[in-house]
Amino acid sequence: MKFQKIRGTRDLLPEEARRWLQAESVIREVMAKYGCAEIRTPIFEETELFARSIGQLTDIVSKEMYTFQDRGEKSLTLRPELTAPVVRAFIENNLGELLPLNKLYYIGQVFRQENPQAGRFRQFHQFGVEILGSPVPAADAETIALAVDIYQRFGIAEFTVEINSVGDQRCREPYKTALRDYLRPRLAKLCATCRGRFESNPLRILDCKVESCRAETVGAPRFIDHLCQACADHFAEVRRLLELAGIAYVVNHRLVRGLDYYTRTAFEIISQQLGAQDALCGGGRYDLLCEELGGKPTPAVGFAAGMERLMIVLEKSGWSVESHAPRVFFVALGLEAQRWAFARARQLRRRGWRVEVDLLGRGVKAQLREANRQQAVAAVIIGDNEIAQQVAQVKNLRDSTQTEVPMAELEDNLSRFFA
Ligand code: AMP
């Protein structure tokens, strides 16, 4: 019996895992510059948390969640995103009481039973930020700037920041009415899903990917023309701050968040280097979610970004990471030499060097070949003679010169390679 990984999941083999580790540390570094602190929440939560926050009518909740019953017959779900878990943890741990402003970031696995394709998986990873406590436009602009800075820190230049405003409780209903009035005579030409959304969630019709729906909505009323004064001022200030920061953006009138607790700013960052699945990240303001999940009213803004999509773009841009090749390779022949190499290698590792010892009982030639394959800078060669004379042969693998060094001076001698 041979097992295979589940469709839509991936193994990160060592070389790729090393790139991920390096990428994660770059993300953490930028997060720290913005004063964001990491939060880690459980992989599974009560199903109801996601049903309430993401919404029963969304694809995620209606057909993509990995939901199961535990032995206590409780309905649990593998997290399909992290905003709801972070807000749940924020409320449960009274973080809003401890600090007036919480800037939390995460990096972790999420699960959605989607149709796998390039850039779309069933287990994937998201990193993201939730800024909880601030209603001001600067928080929205800072969230967008943080996402942009992460991509720029990787040297990625080719992406587009798209923004929009989806108003608030005051202006949403009048806008929906205007949108419905526009769509009503065109209803027959919309896809079945959009016809189903017409009453419940007409905003989502704007971001339908079906060609005929897109054609019908080209001239649809734009939300930014229907914002109440407070929302219009907020949006104008977000734009002003982005311009001040030199962050280029376009206003995309189709960019919507279909749920009621999303407010004002919505944004997405699109890469020209990804195929059909071209979103690097998406986010926005969600002033009403905390309350929806049983917490105190707390204005909030955040984004979630796909880690796999970032890695795809980095692969294309030739982003390279530091090598973990060993610096010193011990080539030992004979039991005494192997014992000595074992003990000495450990000493040097504890000093902070990367040291490799042969574990396959290979001959000298094969060990040296392996040292070269691993791109070590020096080989320390010892056999019975060297043990008897308390010396080692130190071979510079870059220029193939070899010197005999007393064992007591080995460390000093090797240090020259790392100066
Ligand atoms: P969302 O939570 O759907 O707004 O997604 C946020 C980001 O996660 C997207 O912009 C993508 O970069 C990434 N993403 C979403 N779904 C998937 C998926 N199935 N596979 C890989 N990445 C995804």
Side-chain angles (χ1 to χ4, degrees), residues 116-268:
Q117 62 178 83
R120 195 204 261 166
F121 306 94
R122 289 185 168 175
Q123 174 181 290
F124 58 103
H125 300 70
Q126 286 185 335
F127 61 92
V129 164
E130 314 296 349
I131 299 183
L132 296 134
S134 171
V136 306
D140 311 45
E142 188 170 296
T143 303
I144 297 171
L146 169 50
V148 166
D149 282 358
I150 288 175
Y151 296 116
Q152 289 186 339
R153 171 71 180 71
F154 282 107
I156 301 172
E158 240 183 292
F159 58 77
T160 308
V161 178
E162 299 186 347
I163 64 171
N164 196 16
S165 175
V166 294
D168 64 7
Q169 291 150 301
R170 237 167 320 166
C171 41
R172 181 99 29 102
E173 280 313 316
Y175 174 67
K176 279 187 186 170
T177 304
L179 188 57
R180 283 197 196 98
D181 288 348
Y182 172 85
L183 291 171
R184 199 166 288 111
R186 299 171 167 82
L187 213 50
K189 295 195 183 137
L190 300 180
C191 73
T193 317
C194 283
R195 284 200 301 274
R197 286 167 174 158
F198 179 76
E199 282 305 331
S200 60
N201 203 351
L203 260 62
R204 287 296 312 276
I205 297 175
L206 292 174
D207 74 354
C208 180
K209 300 281 180 279
V210 175
E211 212 39 69
S212 52
C213 294
R214 293 190 82 81
E216 287 309 311
T217 50
V218 165
R222 312 181 313 172
F223 211 140
I224 60 166
D225 299 325
H226 289 75
L227 295 172
C228 62
Q229 194 57 50
C231 286
D233 290 346
H234 187 97
F235 192 52
E237 183 63 12
V238 172
R239 295 177 64 164
R240 193 166 303 132
L241 290 171
L242 292 178
E243 281 151 24
L244 261 178
I247 296 173
Y249 64 85
V250 295
V251 177
N252 176 357
H253 304 289
R254 294 182 179 278
L255 190 57
V256 294
R257 300 265 170 214
L259 296 164
D260 285 346
Y261 52 78
Y262 286 116
T263 48
R264 299 184 167 172
T265 314
F267 77 98
E268 222 163 48

Side-chain angles (χ1 to χ4, degrees), residues 311-384:
M311 298 313 290
I312 291 170
V313 172
L314 288 180
E315 191 67 49
K316 291 190 176 160
S317 70
W319 180 71
S320 63
V321 304
E322 190 199 336
S323 147
H324 276 197
R327 313 306 296 266
V328 179
F329 198 104
F330 276 70
V331 174
L333 206 68
L335 190 58
E336 277 314 309
Q338 283 164 357
R339 285 177 177 153
W340 179 86
F342 166 80
R344 213 49 197 276
R346 178 163 181 270
Q347 263 178 17
L348 295 181
R349 287 170 181 145
R350 286 162 68 96
R351 280 206 43 182
W353 295 359
R354 289 199 296 273
V355 182
E356 195 65 24
V357 183
D358 175 63
L359 292 177
L360 291 177
R362 286 175 278 212
V364 172
K365 264 207 181 128
Q367 289 190 49
L368 275 170
R369 247 198 321 273
E370 181 59 19
N372 278 309
R373 194 192 65 80
Q374 293 193 17
Q375 297 176 333
V377 295
V380 176
I381 307 164
I382 45 251
D384 292 340

